[in-house]
Amino acid sequence: MKLMVLDGNSLINRAYYGIRPLTTRDGLYTHAVYGFLTTLLRLTEEEKPEALCVAFDVHAPTFRHKADEAYKATRHAMPEELAQQMPVLKEVLDAMNIPRYELPGWEADDLLGTFSRKSEAAGWDCVLVTGDKDSLQLITDHTKVKLVSTRMGQTTTRDMTPETFMEEYGFAPIHMIDLKALMGDTSDNIPGVKGIGEKTALGLVRRYGTVEALYAALPDIESAPGVPAKPNVVKKLTEGKADAEHSRFLATIVTDTPVEFAPEDNLRRDPKPELYDLFVRLEFSKLIDKLGLRPGEGAPAPEEKRDFTVQVEQVTEQSQAEALVEQWKRADHVSVLTLPDLSGMVVTCRTGENQAVTAELFFSRYRGDWNTLLSTLFSGAVKKVSHNVKDLMGLLLENGLPAEGFVFDTALAAYLLDATAGSYDLPRLFLAYCGAELPKPLHLEPEAFSPLGGDTAQAQAAFDAYTAAVEALYEKLPPLLKEQQMWELYETAELPLCRVLAEMERTGFRVDAGELRRFGEAMDGRIRDLEAAIYEMAGGPFNINSPKQLGEVLFERLGLPPAKKTKTGYSTNADVLEKLRWQHPIVNAVLEYRQYAKLKSTYADGFLKVIGPDGRIHTSFQMTVTATGRLSSTEPNLQNIPTRTDLGSEIRRMFIPDEGKVRVDADYSQIELRLLACIAGDEAMQQAFLSGTDIHTVTASQVFHVPVDQVTHQMRSNAKAVNFGIVYGISPFSLSQDIGVAQWEAKEYIESYFQTYPGVRRHMTEVVEQAKADGYVETLYHRRRALPELKSSNFNMRSFGERVALNMPIQGTAADIMKLAMVAVWKRLKAEGLEARLVLQVHDELIVECPQAEAEQVQRLLTEEMEGVAHLAVPLTAEAHWGKNWLEAKG
């Protein structure tokens, strides 16, 4: 039998500091609880213990505090956002039927020690789960310690047994007490022996084992072999004997606390019914699924949560459908979801304040004209609410059907309301906004509705519930958007953009497959040449793509100075190699090899795999991924084609239009800096833009105190780095790395910059302070990003929040403007009856394909619409060019 004991305080602390802040819609912090539970569930699956419990510290002095007032006195108080999660965790554990223990006057470590020894006495094995190394002293043949660490959301564990401990420390686990007695512990404020560090302490414990044995041999330890003792070590140990003995007392975990405990009392049990409701309140939808939780008896079903009753109608006859269509046309709106192949759909329509009719329509059962029904429903005559409208529009267009009349998208609305949620599926949204769980999404599988598709009635009920969820969310979300001043952005940018992107995805981006293939073959040849050269310089072949083998070649075989070494070997990332580029020709060859390999695998080979039968690449634009509002491109990503190298630019040459057509490319000039000037209200920066002079030259002139006509290329380049770095809250260290100057020099550049543009400094201070007060930042169009990180007690997390507070309003406003411009361009292309079509958007850049005869008109149209979409203190400028391929069109 096996008992697993979790150190509650240790694990929730690590979860709190290791995971980015999460809150419920009501503002309750939950990330520490969530992290604790995911670790708990993973470890129970891994260890499969028969019994399970959690031990906590009590917020009161222990016997150690009473013996030493300085014990743990240097520790900071628990952060408020963690303190509010402690009772929540305990409530969750109670609902999960997991026993928890705490004992006034004793620490959780002492409970772990007691539980492990009582378990061993009862013939059980014990697993202690903690992030503190103090518990390593408890390791025996029947008790192991799982050391937990959490970093950047990733939790890892190490199993510490007598063997692994001995391998790492070189002595038995029980002597961890003696190590702490000598070297002390700054985190617990255990003094140890003054002047004895970890290295010396390790050597002494390996040699003598216990503090008692060490002091018994004290006169002779300097001559003892293998002990890193200096001449004055004896003196330090002699003077520090009392501290050593006291520290040993403080470091010793008690294994016989007066707690009532038997391992069999902690046998694992099923969760209590209230756990479901608790997880609903905490918005832990993934954990509900993972644990297979269901509402308890008497709990309201999802349909009972609605503010209306639903009558379900199965539609098989055309006359039924025609009557419903007339009803839909008269309605304020209908809510609709379809199957992925359009072979089935459910439409919910309000027929009164508290009543609705849900129509189930399936191609296999419908006796009328299915295409006519679809064409009518998805025309502009019926106003529709749905979920992921852009994807549905794309499906409709692909099948030659209209895609009009959509008035609301629940996924897009939820994204605006919480841009960092990461997931906007209907079950999660319904749980968060309506407080109930939806049935499993069986409707996502078309075969679920076939005669062979399992429980068809259950699948149809789930489909109906999902459509009703869309209707329920349509009641909840618009008022919230209006309350947060985002309704206008939603109506003018986000929702209209669905149609624009659906058409762009369907149109695709033509690429010359033959040229791309030849490019890949040329890359292959160059890669082979580089491999041969690298092997020759290295003195033999090795795996160039293996960081471990490359590190050994560079830093051991060739003797280059290593920047840093990790547990797995030497670091060979791009930053490290760039600094070594001039120290040996092999480094430059490796960097070039990586560049060619990346170009070949990602672009030459990768793009060839996704060219459609029409000769075009059809990327997918993601609308709900980035926290700033920017669009992203996937399958494949056409937004990250490298442009800083000639080879990267060459890939753009292979993107060509159809015969007789050209590419027109327009991009905003320095839009983020222009927005910084507007948002910061800095008159000097605004004037620099209004004067028409190059902003980087003006900045260089001011920062380096020289006339504009004496600004050198290097001055302008450095000023450009400062200009763009300021937008991202760059530090002197980062700037010094970017432009290759000393850190003090970079600091002077930044200071001169702020003296030149004092409004920017004032804005940067004010925006962070306002964000701390509000809990969020927003763009000029009121797009929000919540920033719970700003209240974190973790310095790195808080610093991240401050950088986001500086950048998001600028980058987010640029994203808003680009979306508005895309809608405006699309509408004008339609209004002027042009054959031109938008085919791609890359951040500040729009690409149109059109007949050559339309090129000048489209070039002018793009410039006018992009520049005229917003009227700010500094005018927007867009530059447009056209050419026979993407590279030419860049101008």
Side-chain angles (χ1 to χ4, degrees), residues 609-779:
K609 292 175 184 176
V610 294
I611 298 175
D614 59 356
R616 291 173 173 265
I617 291 176
H618 297 268
T619 188
S620 177
F621 293 101
Q622 304 301 315
M623 302 181 71
T624 60
V625 171
T626 70
T628 59
R630 274 188 169 185
L631 296 173
S632 63
S633 161
T634 59
E635 299 176 345
N637 185 352
L638 293 179
Q639 293 183 328
N640 73 339
I641 297 174
T643 58
R644 294 183 180 180
T645 64
D646 291 339
L647 281 171
S649 296
E650 193 64 24
I651 295 171
R652 290 195 173 200
R653 191 184 300 281
M654 298 167 202
F655 284 88
I656 58 174
D658 288 340
E659 291 298 321
K661 295 186 177 180
V662 295
R663 294 258 189 257
V664 185
D665 185 297
D667 64 354
Y668 281 114
S669 174
Q670 301 164 340
I671 185 172
E672 292 188 356
L673 287 179
R674 291 172 182 272
L675 290 172
L676 175 61
C678 295
I679 292 172
D682 188 283
E683 294 181 3
M685 184 177 277
Q686 290 177 9
Q687 190 56 45
F689 279 113
L690 292 170
S691 69
T693 311
D694 173 64
I695 184 65
H696 303 312
T697 302
V698 172
T699 301
S701 171
Q702 298 289 337
V703 169
F704 296 109
H705 309 293
V706 298
V708 168
D709 59 1
Q710 292 181 26
V711 170
T712 65
H713 173 76
Q714 187 60 51
M715 287 177 180
R716 183 187 181 278
S717 178
N718 288 351
K720 182 177 180 179
V722 179
N723 267 327
F724 286 115
I726 290 296
V727 176
Y728 294 91
I730 199 166
S731 68
F733 173 77
S734 297
L735 180 62
S736 70
Q737 296 289 302
D738 289 348
I739 63 178
V741 299
Q743 191 169 336
W744 65 265
E745 196 172 351
K747 187 175 181 180
E748 284 188 358
Y749 289 170
I750 293 174
E751 188 57 38
S752 295
Y753 179 94
F754 284 137
Q755 289 174 7
T756 302
Y757 303 126
V760 174
R761 187 203 292 270
R762 183 175 62 251
H763 161 73
M764 292 175 70
T765 302
E766 290 175 353
V767 73
V768 172
E769 291 305 314
Q770 191 64 47
K772 287 178 179 177
D774 295 338
Y776 63 87
V777 286
E778 63 179 12
T779 68

Side-chain angles (χ1 to χ4, degrees), residues 114-127:
T114 302
F115 298 166
S116 66
R117 297 303 176 256
K118 287 195 173 187
S119 296
E120 290 178 1
W124 287 52
D125 288 329
C126 187
V127 180

Side-chain angles (χ1 to χ4, degrees), residues 54 60 73 115 202 221 263 285 457 459 643 689 751 778 805 833 839 861:
V54 182
F115 298 166
L202 278 168
I221 67 162
S285 54
T643 58
F689 279 113
E751 188 57 38
E778 63 179 12
V839 291
L861 179 154

